[in-house]
Amino acid sequence: QHISNTVYALGLLDFWHAPLFAKLGSKEVEKVRFTSQGLAMTVYGCGLLGFHHAGFLGVACQEAARRPGDFTAQGLSMILYSLGILGFRHT
């Protein structure tokens, strides 16, 4: 949850934190178990900052598709909105 809150806050502040985003772009992020709200907030923060990492966004899409009932309508819309801003197409 700490990662999610931090990425969300950085996105709102328009502040780029290179070490944190390097971790989001690494294989380490696949080990993180995001809550549905946490995943939505993280992807939204990435969208605000223009962080387009196909590996991370692909994992986020897979998680959202795997457990759609865990997400609120707002959470899903935050993810979809952010993916649209980033021009990400999940294959």
Side-chain angles (χ1 to χ4, degrees):
Q1 191 67 35
H2 298 298
I3 293 171
S4 302
N5 291 340
T6 302
V7 172
Y8 179 73
L10 291 174
L12 292 177
L13 295 171
D14 194 23
F15 183 85
W16 185 261
H17 188 274
L20 177 62
F21 287 96
K23 282 203 182 274
L24 277 181
S26 74
K27 288 285 186 185
E28 289 179 43
V29 77
E30 293 177 11
K31 299 174 189 171
V32 177
R33 296 291 168 226
F34 289 98
T35 64
S36 55
Q37 179 185 5
L39 186 62
M41 289 173 51
T42 304
V43 174
Y44 186 72
C46 290
L48 292 175
L49 289 169
F51 179 72
H52 187 290
H53 186 277
F56 171 72
L57 295 174
V59 168
C61 288
Q62 289 171 352
E63 277 298 299
R66 188 176 66 78
R67 49 190 177 114
D70 292 351
F71 290 85
T72 64
Q74 180 182 2
L76 282 175
S77 66
M78 286 171 66
I79 291 173
L80 294 173
Y81 174 77
S82 301
L83 295 174
I85 287 175
L86 295 169
F88 183 76
R89 296 194 189 282
H90 182 63
T91 55

